[in-house]
Amino acid sequence: MAAIIAALQQQIDAQQKQLASQRGELDYAQLKIRVLEERLRQQMIKKYGKPSETLSDLQLELLDGEPAVSSEEIESEAVSGPLPEGDAEKTATRVPRRKNQHHPGRNELPAHLKRIEEIVACGAGQCRCGKCGAETKVIGYETSEVLGMKPAEYFVRVIKREKRACAHCIEHGVATAPAPERIAPKSIFADETIVEFIIRKYCDSVPLYRQRAILIRDLGIDMALTTINDAVLRVGELLVPVVEQMKRDLLTGGYIQADETYVGVQTPEKKGQNHRAFFWQYSAPAKGVVFDFEMTRSKKIAKEFFKNYGGILHTDGYVVYEKDIGTKDLIHACCLAHARRGFIDAIKVQAKGQAVDARLERVVALMDDLFAIDRQAREQNLSLADRQALRQERAPALLDELYALLAAMEASGAILPQSVAGKAVNYTLKRWVELTQFMHHPVIELSTNWAENSMRPIAIGRKNWLHLGSKEAGPKIAAIFSIVESCRKLGVPIRQYLADLLPGLADRSIKQLDSLIPAAYAASMAK
């Protein structure tokens, strides 16, 4: 009997072990299914969703049944609906967003604009009294203002340079008035026309071929596209030394935000397709923006740019910035907005019918509380020192809770490392030191939004002008983007700046460049 009992016990133990193993495999399979469901939802969101943080399961299910539907076609549906389902108590901890302020009413038009009065007379029946028939008198006006405009006026400027000679002294020859300084001395276009080409393309994203079509439509002028392109690239060529000075000015500061974005380039080596090149962007508040065109996204580009830099470098999580960049004194900081974005994505991909993980929502709420500190500082127009004092007062408790929560999520084993949530947790913990550098350096912003916003003109532009014509044009176009975006960031009127800067720029001394950059121009305007 003892032998039988022992044998049965062994069978029971083996079955229990097998059952435990199967349960483990089942748990793993369920987690794997969740990861695959997350990836499927990510693809659906990428295909159908908007980049906002609100998207419901019902919308995705509805859109998946619609053939060839795009995010532009379903904008009204995509922006509605809550985040994936969760208890009201879980979302109650969210930091409330600022409510949109009420519109103050009809906008007042700027006082500096020229006023042209247009008097609307009363009709004949209103000019005589309805009771006695006497002629009525004007006692005032009911006044309203509307913004008017004149279509662009093109004209031919005839430049006549005087030629003088003495009637008695033939041997002295003829004296001709000097030619006026122009952006492109041999171009058929006047300076203001070339500036308009620049603004329309690099501010308004209107390709040159469309601008050529406008000239044909409105004026009947069939100008060769190469002629327009040569004038634009001439501007880029002139601006390259100015941007080099902007680069030197940026590197002498103690804080730089960096980012990069791709752009297509036509090359002889790739017939029928574009080479994937990159605009590397470097910027700092009050110092403008520098774009550097490169044919690669290799680490050697960042390494070369920052080889002598020992300040603070603020970037996203791109690995090329993590090691062997700059001098030994360089301090690397990472963007908290990128970390937060990972947890927003993790909330979005929660499976249908599954309650939102309260821990994910708490992480987002804690990060929002950190951003709320800086938002309060901006609204109160605090100095960097006062903002840092506010951070030191309120941020430590938030960071302690955030780190403890992330560490517990990682140690729980309930989140697969390759899931969206797992990647978000790993990303944040791996870069925790870089993400919290703002606690030690007042100048560091919580995010690299300054840099990311500077990339938008390129992202919008490449949807219109599609690619660059050659890699030789890249540095010139990067120079134009640097000036245009710097003027926008610093509040410098771009037309006025280019009109003042470009004529005669090629003949100016290199020692004058420091006073010609947009930051110096903005400072002179403020005086």
Side-chain angles (χ1 to χ4, degrees):
M1 290 296 295
I4 294 173
I5 292 173
L8 292 174
Q9 188 62 47
Q10 288 180 355
Q11 292 179 7
I12 292 172
D13 292 342
Q15 289 176 351
Q16 288 180 341
K17 185 180 294 185
Q18 183 180 5
L19 182 60
S21 175
Q22 290 175 343
R23 284 176 178 172
E25 292 177 358
L26 179 61
D27 290 341
Y28 179 80
Q30 289 176 340
L31 290 174
K32 190 69 175 178
I33 290 171
R34 284 176 55 187
V35 171
L36 295 175
E37 287 177 342
E38 287 180 357
R39 292 179 181 175
L40 176 61
R41 279 183 58 80
Q42 278 186 306
Q43 292 299 320
M44 294 173 69
I45 290 171
K46 184 177 180 180
K47 183 178 180 181
Y48 301 128
K50 300 300 289 185
S52 65
E53 296 177 3
T54 59
L55 195 62
S56 69
D57 287 293
L58 181 60
Q59 289 164 340
L60 293 177
E61 185 177 289
L62 172 66
L63 298 175
D64 196 36
E66 293 290 333
V69 68
S70 67
S71 59
E72 288 75 19
E73 295 169 315
I74 47 87
E75 181 174 1
S76 60
E77 287 84 3
V79 298
S80 63
L83 282 168
E85 296 79 0
D87 296 336
E89 295 178 357
K90 295 177 182 177
T91 59
T93 57
R94 291 262 180 126
V95 176
R97 293 183 180 274
R98 289 176 296 172
K99 294 182 179 179
N100 292 330
Q101 297 181 356
H102 294 294
H103 195 284
R106 186 180 178 92
N107 291 332
E108 293 186 5
L109 297 174
H112 69 270
L113 291 179
K114 178 183 178 181
R115 259 61 179 178
I116 300 176
E117 292 188 351
E118 178 182 332
I119 297 177
V120 181
C122 290
Q126 297 173 300
C127 293
R128 291 195 174 276
C129 178
K131 183 175 181 181
C132 66
E135 184 176 356
T136 57
K137 296 181 178 180
V138 177
I139 61 172
Y141 296 93
E142 187 72 28
T143 304
S144 62
E145 292 187 342
V146 294
L147 182 63
M149 65 166 291
K150 291 181 179 179
E153 180 182 359
Y154 293 89
F155 56 90
V156 177
R157 179 179 287 118
V158 181
I159 301 174
K160 293 186 175 182
R161 297 161 54 199
E162 282 189 349
K163 298 171 65 175
R164 289 179 172 268
C166 179
H168 306 288
C169 305
I170 304 298
E171 64 275 10
H172 283 283
V174 178
T176 305
E181 291 183 335
R182 295 176 55 202
I183 296 174
K186 297 182 180 181
S187 175
I188 194 173
F189 300 117
D191 290 354
E192 62 270 21
T193 306
I194 296 176
V195 169
E196 189 66 22
F197 288 146
I198 295 292
I199 291 174
R200 288 185 180 182
K201 178 171 182 180
Y202 298 104
C203 293
D204 303 331
S205 301
V206 181
L208 295 182
Y209 74 87
R210 291 187 195 165
Q211 297 190 49
R212 174 176 176 266
I214 291 172
L215 292 176
I216 296 174
R217 180 194 65 204
D218 293 348
L219 303 175
I221 299 177
D222 189 0
M223 193 67 61
L225 185 59
T226 54
T227 303
I228 301 175
N229 191 62
D230 289 345
V232 169
L233 291 182
R234 169 61 176 168
V235 172
E237 185 179 355
L238 289 172
L239 292 177
V240 167
V242 179
V243 175
E244 287 297 318
Q245 179 59 37
M246 291 171 59
K247 186 184 300 184
R248 289 189 288 269
D249 181 59
L250 194 62
L251 289 169
T252 57
Y255 178 58
I256 296 177
Q257 291 189 0
D259 204 353
E260 63 289 323
T261 188
Y262 71 91
V263 62
V265 180
Q266 290 183 323
T267 58
E269 296 81 12
K270 292 187 176 182
K271 298 296 184 181
Q273 60 178 334
N274 294 327
H275 177 83
R276 193 178 180 89
F278 289 86
F279 281 120
W280 293 69
Q281 184 269 163
Y282 314 99
S283 61
K287 282 187 175 289
V289 181
V290 170
F291 285 98
D292 188 18
F293 173 81
E294 299 290 347
M295 294 293 284
T296 177
R297 202 186 178 197
S298 167
K299 181 176 183 175
K300 67 180 182 182
I301 305 301
K303 195 169 183 178
E304 173 64 24
F305 188 91
F306 292 108
K307 62 181 179 181
N308 297 319
Y309 180 68
I312 298 171
L313 175 60
H314 198 181
T315 71
D316 55 19
Y318 188 32
V319 294
V320 302
Y321 300 111
E322 292 182 355
K323 294 181 181 178
D324 303 325
I325 296 294
T327 67
K328 61 181 179 62
D329 298 321
L330 184 141
I331 298 170
H332 185 210
C334 281
C335 171
L336 189 63
H338 279 78
R340 178 184 179 276
R341 201 172 298 160
F343 291 97
I344 291 295
D345 290 340
I347 293 174
K348 283 183 179 181
V349 299
Q350 294 292 300
K352 180 180 177 182
Q354 178 184 344
V356 177
D357 190 335
R359 296 174 300 177
L360 297 176
E361 289 200 326
R362 185 57 184 161
V363 168
V364 174
L366 290 169
M367 291 183 176
D368 286 348
D369 285 343
L370 292 171
F371 280 103
I373 297 173
D374 278 22
R375 185 174 69 225
Q376 179 181 336
R378 284 194 304 272
E379 292 173 347
Q380 296 179 0
N381 199 26
L382 299 182
S383 65
L384 289 181
D386 291 337
R387 182 181 73 172
Q388 193 66 5
L390 190 63
R391 285 176 174 177
Q392 296 293 342
E393 176 187 350
R394 293 170 51 185
L398 297 173
L399 290 172
D400 289 344
E401 182 182 351
L402 179 59
Y403 185 82
L405 180 58
L406 293 172
M409 292 171 68
E410 183 182 47
S412 68
I415 300 177
L416 283 180
Q418 293 304 310
S419 67
V420 179
K423 290 179 179 178
V425 171
N426 178 265
Y427 178 96
T428 306
L429 289 176
K430 182 180 178 182
R431 296 170 176 82
W432 184 256
V433 174
E434 290 80 4
L435 288 169
T436 56
Q437 288 287 3
F438 68 90
M439 291 297 295
H440 311 292
H441 305 279
V443 71
I444 298 179
E445 301 292 329
L446 292 186
S447 72
T448 56
N449 286 345
W450 174 274
E452 287 202 353
N453 289 341
S454 298
M455 313 294 272
R456 288 182 180 178
I458 296 177
I460 295 172
R462 65 182 173 227
K463 293 180 180 180
N464 292 273
W465 34 260
L466 302 179
H467 54 246
L468 307 186
S470 66
K471 64 180 181 181
E472 289 76 20
K476 302 174 185 178
I477 294 173
I480 296 174
F481 267 124
S482 300
I483 296 297
V484 168
E485 189 60 18
S486 295
C487 286
R488 185 183 73 84
K489 285 293 185 66
L490 298 172
V492 174
I494 181 65
R495 278 191 176 87
Q496 177 182 329
Y497 176 78
L498 292 177
D500 292 344
L501 174 73
L502 291 174
L505 178 59
D507 299 324
R508 300 195 188 189
S509 168
I510 193 172
K511 296 180 180 179
Q512 295 178 283
L513 292 179
D514 190 48
S515 62
L516 300 178
I517 63 177
Y521 195 90
S524 65
M525 288 176 57
K527 293 180 180 178

